[in-house]
Amino acid sequence: MSEDAKKFLYVNRKAPYGTIYALESLEVVLIGAAFEQEVTLAFLDDGVYQLAKGQETAGVGMKNFSPTYRALGDYDVNKFYVERESLEERGLTEDDLQEITYEDEDDDWAEKPSIRVVNRDEMKKIMSEQDVILSF
Amino acid sequence: MSEDAKKFLYVNRKAPYGTIYALESLEVVLIGAAFEQEVTLAFLDDGVYQLAKGQETAGVGMKNFSPTYRALGDYDVNKFYVERESLEERGLTEDDLQEITYEDEDDDWAEKPSIRVVNRDEMKKIMSEQDVILSF
Amino acid sequence: MKLAIVVNEGPYTHQASDTALHFTRAALEAGHEIERVFFYHDGVNNATRLTVPPQDDRNLQKEWTELGTTHGLDMVVCIAAAQRRGILDANEAKRQGKDADNIAEGFRISGLGQLIDAGIQADRLVTFGD
Amino acid sequence: MKLAIVVNEGPYTHQASDTALHFTRAALEAGHEIERVFFYHDGVNNATRLTVPPQDDRNLQKEWTELGTTHGLDMVVCIAAAQRRGILDANEAKRQGKDADNIAEGFRISGLGQLIDAGIQADRLVTFGD
Amino acid sequence: MSTLHTVNKSPFDRPSLTSCLNHLMPGDAVLLIEDGVIAARKGSAFSSPLEAAMKDCSVYVLSPDSSARGIGDGDMVSGIETVDYGGFVDLVVKHDRTQSWL
Amino acid sequence: MSTLHTVNKSPFDRPSLTSCLNHLMPGDAVLLIEDGVIAARKGSAFSSPLEAAMKDCSVYVLSPDSSARGIGDGDMVSGIETVDYGGFVDLVVKHDRTQSWL
C-alpha cells in the first residue's frame, strides 16, 4: 500500500435483498480493492444482516451474494467491523454471522478472522479516523 | 354518491418534499374525486407534516403543493383525519396545521372544518371500515 | 376472486417489484383473476425495455412482459409518473418531441383513473412499495 | 478546495438530486472546484433525456445538463447501475443490441472506479441519497 | 370483517411495524414480508410487541424472505406462522381488505 | 480533526439521527437537511437528544428545508443554527470529512 493511501470506510446500515444498497455497496468494495487504498467495512444497524449465516435466496429468485464477502480477503479487504449493540438489539450474536477469514501476509500467512465485533465507542472512533466515508 | 360507492382511504405517513409520495398521493386524490366514491384521507406519523401551515418552498426550488389541500373541499373531499398522537410526538398541535374547510350541502352550505384530529383508537376504527386502502 | 396489484417502486432498487411478480404468479396459479397491475411512482421504471441486468441476475422487465402477455394481464403505467421519470411509448415520445421511446411490450400508458377503477372493480387491492 | 459529489437517488422521487444540485451550485459560486459528480444506484436516472416533468415543476435533468456544460463538470453515470436501470448511451445501446438510448447531454457513462478515483483526488466527498 | 396488514420494512429501520401494531383490530392478521421479516427473529427488541399482538391477532412471515435473510423457522418468535407466496394470496383473499404499511 | 455528519431523514421515520448522535465525537457537527429538519422542531421527542448532543457538538439546519416544511426559526430547539446551501458548503470545507447518514 502506498504511503499516501487514503483511508476509505464503507458504512453498511441496511439489510440485504429488501433494497439493492448492500449489493451495490459490495460492488464498489470489489472495484475499490484494486486501488491500493486502506479499506475498512463497517456494519451497523440492519447492515449486520448482510453478514448473516445461512442466507438462502432461491425462494425470492434473487442472487445470493453473501459468499462474496468471504472472497474479499483475497483482495486485502479484511477489516469488517460489526457493531455489537446492533447485533444485540436484533437478537443476533457473532455465531449468527458467517465465518470470514483472510491470510495475514505479515504473520506467515496465518488464517485470521476478518470480522471483529466492536462496541459503539470503538465504532465511533474507527469512523473518526477515515479520509473518505461512503454510505450505503 | 351512488348506492354501491366504495369507501377509499388514502393513508399518508410521509413528510412532504423529502420524497414524492405526498405529492403523488395528492394527485391520486384529485383524479379519484371524479369517481363518486366515498373518500377519506388519513394523516399519521410524518404524514401530518403534509398539512403544516406556512410551507415556503422557494428556497428548495420545488412547487409548494400545500394550497391544493384547501381546494379538495370543492371536490367533495372533506374528511381529513389527523392522528393526535402523531402531532404530539412531533411537538405539533392543531394550530400548526393549515385551516381547511368545505361547504356542507346538507347543512345550507355552512362552512365547516375538513380536518378532524382523532386519537389512535378512532383512527384504527376508521381504517377498519374501508373497502380500499391506498398507502403512500 | 378479482385482484388488483399496485407496484410503487422500480426494479432491483427495492424488492417490491419481485414480491409483486411472485404474488401475481401465485394468484394466477390459484385461479384468481388479475383485474389490473398498476405501476405508480418509481414503479413505472419496471416498464423500460432498455435495462440490461447482469447475466446471472433476473430480468424483471422481461418477467413482467412474459407474465403479462401469457395471461393477457392489463399492465398499466401511470402517465404522469412515467413522464416525470422518462418512460415513454412511441405516441408520447412523438407528442412530447422526444427522439426515442423506451416502453417494453406488454405495458400500456394510461391515466391515474385506471388505479381508482381497479380499486372499484377488484375484490381486493394489494400494494407493493418502499 | 476540490469536492466530489455522489448522487444516489433518481430525480423527483427523493430530494437527493435537488439538494446535490443546490450544493454543487453553491460550491461553484464559492470558488471551489468540483472534481466529479458521480451518479450511482437510482441516481443514474437523473441522466435520462426522456423525462417530461409538469410545466410548473423544475426539470432536474436539464438543470444538471446546464450546470455541467456551463462549468465543464465531469458528470459520470455508473455503467453497472445504469445497465440495471435502463440508462444507455448510443455506444452501450449498440453493444447491448438495444434499439434506443436515452442519455442526456453532459453525462458520460463509466465504471465504478471513477467513484473511488473521485474519493482519492478530492479533498472532500459528499453523498446525497435516500 | 378483518384486515390483512403487510409490513415490508425492518422495524429497526422504519416505524411501519410499530404503527401497524398500534392500529390492529382483534381478528386482524399481520404478514411480515421483505425486510419486514427481521421483526420475527426471537430475542429482538420487537419480540414482545409481536407476542402482545398475537393475543388477538395472527402474525405470519413470508418464508422465502426469512430464508433469504438467514432467519430459520426455529429462529422465530414462537406462534408466528410461515407462508409462501400462495399462502400470501390466500391471506389476501381471506381478509376483507389489505393495508400495506409502506 | 472533526467530522460533518449530515442527516436527511426524519428521526421518526429512520434511525439515522439516533445512530448519528450515538457516533459523534466531541467537536463534530450535525447538519439536518431534507426531511431531517423535522428533528429540529422544539417540543418533539428528539429535542432532548439534540440538546444533549449540543453540549460538545454543533447542530445546524438547512433553512430552505425547514422553511419548506413550515418550521420557522422560532420553532426550533434553541441553540440550533441555520445555514443556506453556501453555509452547507462552508461546513463541508471546515470539517475534515463528511459522513452522510443515509
Side-chain angles (χ1 to χ4, degrees):
Chain A
M1 206 158 293
S2 67
E3 280 295 306
D4 57 348
K6 276 195 173 180
K7 292 181 180 166
F8 273 72
L9 178 70
Y10 295 84
V11 177
N12 298 290
R13 296 181 50 247
K14 289 171 187 157
Y17 308 114
T19 55
I20 205 170
Y21 303 103
L23 171 61
E24 289 192 331
S25 167
L26 188 55
E27 292 182 353
V28 183
V29 173
L30 283 166
I31 298 286
F35 281 75
E36 304 268 317
Q37 306 295 308
E38 210 177 314
V39 173
T40 303
L41 310 189
F43 297 87
L44 63 156
D45 293 338
D46 282 339
V48 300
Y49 264 102
Q50 296 180 24
L51 303 178
K53 202 183 259 179
Q55 301 177 26
E56 288 171 21
T57 60
V60 292
M62 297 164 85
K63 190 181 146 188
N64 179 356
F65 55 89
S66 65
T68 309
Y69 295 102
R70 295 201 292 273
L72 289 176
D74 298 340
Y75 300 92
D76 282 331
V77 176
N78 50 43
K79 283 180 286 184
F80 290 57
Y81 292 100
V82 176
E83 190 170 279
R84 186 181 311 281
E85 288 84 346
S86 299
L87 289 173
E88 286 171 355
E89 275 188 315
R90 285 160 185 77
L92 298 173
T93 67
E94 194 167 353
D95 286 345
D96 294 308
L97 306 183
Q98 53 173 334
E99 213 180 322
I100 302 177
T101 59
Y102 73 104
E103 295 176 340
D104 188 350
E105 58 177 320
D106 298 331
D107 189 8
D108 199 22
W109 305 99
E111 190 161 316
K112 297 187 173 176
S114 295
I115 293 182
R116 300 141 210 218
V117 177
V118 296
N119 63 32
R120 197 163 274 163
D121 280 338
E122 294 171 288
M123 182 62 91
K124 113 172 47 164
K125 190 161 172 298
I126 291 159
M127 288 175 168
S128 74
E129 291 164 349
Q130 307 298 322
D131 294 311
V132 180
I133 301 180
L134 293 168
S135 308
F136 296 95
Chain B
M1 208 159 291
S2 67
E3 280 295 305
D4 57 351
K6 276 194 172 181
K7 291 180 179 168
F8 274 71
L9 178 70
Y10 295 85
V11 178
N12 298 289
R13 296 181 48 247
K14 289 171 187 155
Y17 309 114
T19 54
I20 204 170
Y21 303 104
L23 170 61
E24 290 193 331
S25 166
L26 188 56
E27 292 182 353
V28 183
V29 173
L30 282 166
I31 298 287
F35 280 75
E36 305 268 318
Q37 306 294 309
E38 211 177 313
V39 173
T40 302
L41 311 188
F43 297 86
L44 63 157
D45 294 338
D46 281 339
V48 300
Y49 263 102
Q50 296 180 24
L51 303 178
K53 202 184 260 180
Q55 301 177 26
E56 288 172 22
T57 61
V60 291
M62 299 164 84
K63 191 182 144 185
N64 179 356
F65 55 89
S66 65
T68 310
Y69 295 102
R70 294 202 294 273
L72 290 176
D74 298 341
Y75 299 91
D76 281 332
V77 176
N78 50 43
K79 283 180 286 184
F80 290 57
Y81 292 100
V82 176
E83 191 170 277
R84 186 181 310 280
E85 288 84 346
S86 300
L87 288 173
E88 286 170 356
E89 276 188 315
R90 286 160 185 77
L92 299 172
T93 66
E94 192 167 355
D95 286 345
D96 295 307
L97 306 183
Q98 52 173 332
E99 212 179 324
I100 302 177
T101 58
Y102 72 105
E103 295 176 340
D104 187 350
E105 60 177 319
D106 297 333
D107 189 8
D108 199 21
W109 305 98
E111 192 162 315
K112 297 185 174 178
S114 294
I115 293 181
R116 301 143 208 216
V117 176
V118 296
N119 63 32
R120 197 162 272 163
D121 280 337
E122 294 170 289
M123 183 62 90
K124 112 171 49 162
K125 191 161 173 296
I126 290 160
M127 289 174 167
S128 74
E129 291 164 348
Q130 306 298 322
D131 294 310
V132 180
I133 300 179
L134 293 168
S135 308
F136 296 94
Chain C
M1 206 172 243
K2 270 198 275 190
L3 308 178
I5 315 287
V6 183
V7 183
N8 283 343
E9 296 297 330
Y12 311 110
T13 306
H14 295 86
Q15 204 187 340
S17 174
D18 289 277
T19 310
L21 189 62
H22 290 300
F23 180 91
T24 306
R25 275 201 198 109
L28 289 165
E29 276 166 25
H32 298 293
E33 194 181 325
I34 302 295
E35 174 66 26
R36 180 167 296 137
V37 185
F38 192 84
F39 296 87
Y40 195 43
H41 304 308
D42 273 2
V44 301
N45 290 327
N46 285 286
T48 169
R49 67 176 185 273
L50 301 186
T51 53
V52 188
Q55 298 283 354
D56 59 350
D57 202 352
R58 68 233 188 263
N59 186 324
L60 287 165
Q61 173 265 309
K62 284 221 167 103
E63 294 194 38
W64 277 114
T65 293
E66 277 168 30
L67 192 70
T69 50
T70 306
H71 296 274
L73 302 184
D74 187 22
M75 303 202 299
V76 176
V77 174
C78 168
I79 186 165
Q83 288 184 342
R84 264 199 194 98
R85 293 165 180 86
I87 304 296
L88 302 173
D89 61 15
N91 271 342
E92 270 302 296
K94 199 172 165 191
R95 211 166 64 90
Q96 304 290 348
K98 297 288 184 181
D99 62 349
D101 69 83
N102 56 358
I103 201 166
E105 189 194 344
F107 296 89
R108 69 183 177 96
I109 290 184
S110 188
L112 269 173
Q114 299 284 307
L115 169 57
I116 307 296
D117 179 67
I120 295 171
Q121 302 301 330
D123 300 302
R124 301 284 185 276
L125 178 144
V126 189
T127 305
F128 298 89
D130 179 23
Chain D
M1 204 172 246
K2 271 198 275 189
L3 307 179
I5 314 287
V6 183
V7 183
N8 283 342
E9 296 296 331
Y12 310 110
T13 305
H14 295 86
Q15 205 187 339
S17 175
D18 289 277
T19 310
L21 190 62
H22 290 298
F23 180 91
T24 306
R25 274 200 199 110
L28 290 165
E29 277 166 25
H32 297 294
E33 194 182 324
I34 301 297
E35 173 66 26
R36 181 167 294 137
V37 186
F38 191 85
F39 296 87
Y40 195 42
H41 304 308
D42 273 2
V44 302
N45 290 327
N46 285 286
T48 170
R49 67 174 186 275
L50 301 186
T51 52
V52 188
Q55 298 282 354
D56 58 352
D57 203 352
R58 68 232 189 263
N59 185 324
L60 288 165
Q61 173 265 309
K62 284 223 167 102
E63 294 194 37
W64 277 114
T65 292
E66 278 169 27
L67 192 70
T69 50
T70 306
H71 296 273
L73 302 184
D74 187 22
M75 303 201 300
V76 175
V77 175
C78 168
I79 186 163
Q83 287 184 343
R84 264 199 194 99
R85 292 165 181 87
I87 304 295
L88 302 173
D89 63 15
N91 271 343
E92 270 302 295
K94 200 173 166 190
R95 210 166 66 88
Q96 303 290 347
K98 297 289 185 181
D99 62 348
D101 69 83
N102 55 358
I103 201 166
E105 189 193 342
F107 296 88
R108 70 183 177 95
I109 291 185
S110 188
L112 269 174
Q114 299 284 306
L115 169 58
I116 307 297
D117 178 68
I120 294 171
Q121 303 301 331
D123 301 301
R124 301 284 184 277
L125 178 143
V126 189
T127 305
F128 298 89
D130 178 23
Chain E
M1 295 293 282
S2 67
T3 303
L4 171 68
H5 302 262
T6 64
V7 176
N8 76 327
K9 293 295 168 189
S10 161
F12 296 97
D13 195 47
R14 300 288 177 92
S16 0
L17 178 67
T18 301
S19 266
C20 169
L21 297 180
N22 280 336
H23 293 88
L24 291 181
M25 299 286 275
D28 282 358
V30 178
L31 172 62
L32 304 172
I33 67 171
E34 303 176 359
D35 288 346
V37 301
I38 287 172
R41 200 169 196 307
K42 68 183 173 199
S44 98
F46 289 88
S47 301
S48 304
L50 279 181
E51 280 160 359
M54 284 191 278
K55 280 176 196 147
D56 51 17
C57 292
S58 315
V59 177
Y60 300 88
V61 157
L62 191 59
S63 59
D65 281 321
S66 47
S67 299
R69 289 147 189 92
I71 302 173
D73 291 4
D75 299 326
M76 294 186 206
V77 173
S78 89
I80 294 183
E81 293 174 58
T82 58
V83 294
D84 59 9
Y85 294 105
F88 184 176
V89 172
D90 293 342
L91 285 171
V92 166
V93 168
K94 187 178 150 196
H95 296 275
D96 300 285
R97 69 192 71 74
T98 301
Q99 178 163 8
S100 304
W101 291 83
L102 301 182
Chain F
M1 296 293 282
S2 67
T3 303
L4 172 67
H5 301 263
T6 65
V7 176
N8 75 327
K9 292 293 169 190
S10 161
F12 297 97
D13 194 47
R14 300 289 177 91
S16 358
L17 178 68
T18 301
S19 267
C20 169
L21 297 180
N22 280 336
H23 294 87
L24 291 182
M25 299 287 275
D28 282 358
V30 178
L31 171 62
L32 305 172
I33 67 170
E34 302 177 358
D35 288 346
V37 302
I38 287 172
R41 199 169 198 305
K42 70 182 173 200
S44 98
F46 289 89
S47 302
S48 305
L50 280 181
E51 280 159 359
M54 283 190 279
K55 279 175 197 148
D56 51 16
C57 293
S58 314
V59 178
Y60 300 88
V61 157
L62 190 60
S63 59
D65 281 321
S66 48
S67 299
R69 288 146 187 93
I71 301 172
D73 290 4
D75 298 327
M76 295 186 205
V77 174
S78 89
I80 294 182
E81 292 173 58
T82 58
V83 294
D84 59 9
Y85 293 106
F88 184 175
V89 172
D90 294 342
L91 286 171
V92 166
V93 169
K94 186 178 150 195
H95 296 273
D96 301 284
R97 69 193 71 74
T98 301
Q99 178 163 9
S100 304
W101 291 84
L102 300 181

